[in-house]
Amino acid sequence: MSATRQPLTVLLAAPRGFCAGVDRAIQIVEGALDKFGAPVYVRHEIVHNRHVVERLEGMGAIFVEELDQCPDDRPVVFSAHGVPKSVPAEAARRDMIYVDATCPLVSKVHVEAQRHFNNGHDILLIGHVGHPEVIGTMGQLPDGAITLVETVEDVDRLEPRDPAKLAFVTQTTLSVDDTSAIVDRLQARFPAIAAPHKEDICYATTNRQSAVKEMADRCDKVFVIGAPNSSNSVRLVEVAERAGVKSAELVASANDVDWDTLGEIRTVGITAGASAPEELVQGLITAFRERFDVSLEELVVTRENVEFKLPRVLAQEADNA
């Protein structure tokens, strides 16, 4: 006779997983493969998730880091994180077919930065050094036009040319709380600093962090499905820990869970970063059901209904299909 399985409450965060920008970017690669045939080159991972990348590779996408790894005669897609202006300029010089999958909310930050620059402002970008989105945003303007700010301490070290001609923008996938502290310090030091018309941190990042905060103090452990190079996924782990959960862990899938170390847990929270597909979430729930007597509860903080249009070249193809 089999032993009785330990009861376990699984709290499932909502919203979680794919956001509209990620969904659009993946559709762009799939649409480019349909329209142009394989191979289609993609500069940088289209989104930060190996599961997604490997599925698209199986369909004929080839992922590269730089444009000089792409042949002139095949289409190239630019990733959801955005690219410096020099990249499409070089593609146009080489007479390449290219499709820009930059998330529209990232493009909004690019437009803001350009507007501030045109108005004669020095621009501060709140973000993480080396992240593709930061590289893309800084590459919208001439060298030196944008200064990266990562911490409150960075704000204290700033010595702008003219404190009255400053503006800031932010990476879209940051921790809301961390960014608030930096913005507060900026506005305290430079009261005239121009802020974004609308919050730069995207709705999906904010909603997923809110859902994790809501569940954290009810959980013995929170699992965030995502990739270590996914900024919004890493931030979800940090948000869970700050919100009071005993332990939060980033995993790529159920295969990464060390089941032997879970111990006498009673409640587990599950969420997924904005580039993690729902099938990985369901796979983790299935893995828990195989080991525990699971009671599943979805914790909904809001419903998302955002959709972004495809680029014209692919939208026309979809309309004609």
Side-chain angles (χ1 to χ4, degrees):
M1 188 174 178
S2 60
T4 302
R5 287 184 298 174
Q6 178 180 325
L8 180 70
T9 299
V10 173
L11 299 181
L12 188 57
R16 63 183 176 276
F18 279 0
C19 62
V22 164
D23 198 42
R24 173 180 179 270
I26 293 168
Q27 287 184 54
I28 286 172
V29 177
E30 293 170 342
L33 286 163
D34 285 343
K35 182 178 177 69
F36 302 112
V40 166
Y41 284 75
V42 184
R43 184 189 178 277
H44 194 71
E45 290 186 346
I46 187 68
V47 296
H48 283 155
N49 187 276
R50 283 307 306 169
H51 183 88
V52 171
V53 167
E54 287 168 6
R55 183 178 70 80
L56 293 172
E57 284 176 336
M59 297 171 65
I62 297 175
F63 291 86
V64 298
E65 285 304 308
E66 297 298 342
L67 204 60
D68 59 16
Q69 298 171 265
C70 304
D72 291 349
D73 60 348
R74 292 307 303 162
V76 60
V77 175
F78 303 145
S79 82
H81 311 96
V83 295
K85 275 187 176 177
S86 58
V87 175
E90 174 62 10
R93 187 193 69 77
R94 291 171 56 185
D95 202 24
M96 300 174 74
I97 296 171
Y98 65 89
V99 187
D100 189 356
T102 300
C103 173
L105 298 180
V106 174
S107 296
K108 178 181 80 74
V109 176
H110 294 177
V111 170
E112 283 177 348
Q114 184 69 58
R115 175 173 56 82
H116 289 309
F117 181 73
N118 294 345
N119 290 336
H121 287 74
D122 288 333
I123 300 153
L124 306 174
L125 170 60
I126 303 172
H128 295 297
V129 66
H131 190 277
E133 184 184 329
V134 165
I135 293 169
T137 299
M138 295 187 77
Q140 299 303 302
L141 298 173
D143 288 349
I146 299 179
T147 300
L148 184 64
V149 174
E150 292 192 89
T151 65
V152 168
E153 290 72 28
D154 287 346
V155 176
D156 294 338
R157 287 189 285 267
L158 289 172
E159 295 182 7
R161 291 182 304 169
D162 183 355
K165 297 291 278 182
L166 275 181
F168 75 88
V169 295
T170 81
Q171 184 180 331
T172 63
T173 54
L174 299 177
S175 159
V176 175
D177 295 335
D178 283 351
T179 307
S180 295
I182 294 171
V183 170
D184 287 348
R185 187 64 63 89
L186 281 172
Q187 292 175 331
R189 277 205 69 194
F190 311 111
I193 194 167
H197 286 321
K198 260 185 96 175
E199 177 69 67
D200 281 343
I201 297 175
C202 81
Y203 76 95
T205 297
T206 301
N207 289 345
R208 280 148 191 74
Q209 290 180 15
S210 296
V212 165
K213 287 179 184 178
E214 193 76 20
M215 69 162 49
D217 63 359
R218 293 179 56 187
C219 298
D220 300 310
K221 190 174 183 74
V222 167
F223 286 100
V224 177
I225 298 177
N229 61 340
S230 165
S231 176
N232 75 85
S233 299
V234 173
R235 301 290 84 74
L236 285 173
V237 174
E238 295 171 355
V239 168
E241 290 172 341
R242 289 179 186 172
V245 73
K246 297 170 187 172
S247 171
E249 185 177 350
L250 182 69
V251 294
S253 69
N255 295 332
D256 288 346
V257 177
D258 186 349
W259 299 99
D260 294 334
T261 63
L262 291 183
E264 294 295 315
I265 56 172
R266 291 285 176 262
T267 304
V268 163
I270 296 177
T271 189
S275 49
E278 179 64 16
E279 64 194 87
L280 298 179
V281 174
Q282 296 304 319
L284 183 54
I285 293 170
T286 297
F288 273 111
R289 289 193 188 279
E290 290 168 352
R291 295 165 173 84
F292 297 88
D293 181 14
V294 168
S295 298
L296 187 64
E297 176 187 339
E298 190 171 44
L299 200 159
V300 182
V301 297
T302 189
R303 298 288 185 187
E304 294 176 348
N305 56 5
V306 178
E307 290 185 23
F308 294 133
K309 293 179 180 177
L310 295 176
R312 188 171 301 154
V313 63
L314 297 182
Q316 288 170 345
E317 189 74 8
D319 291 342
N320 295 332

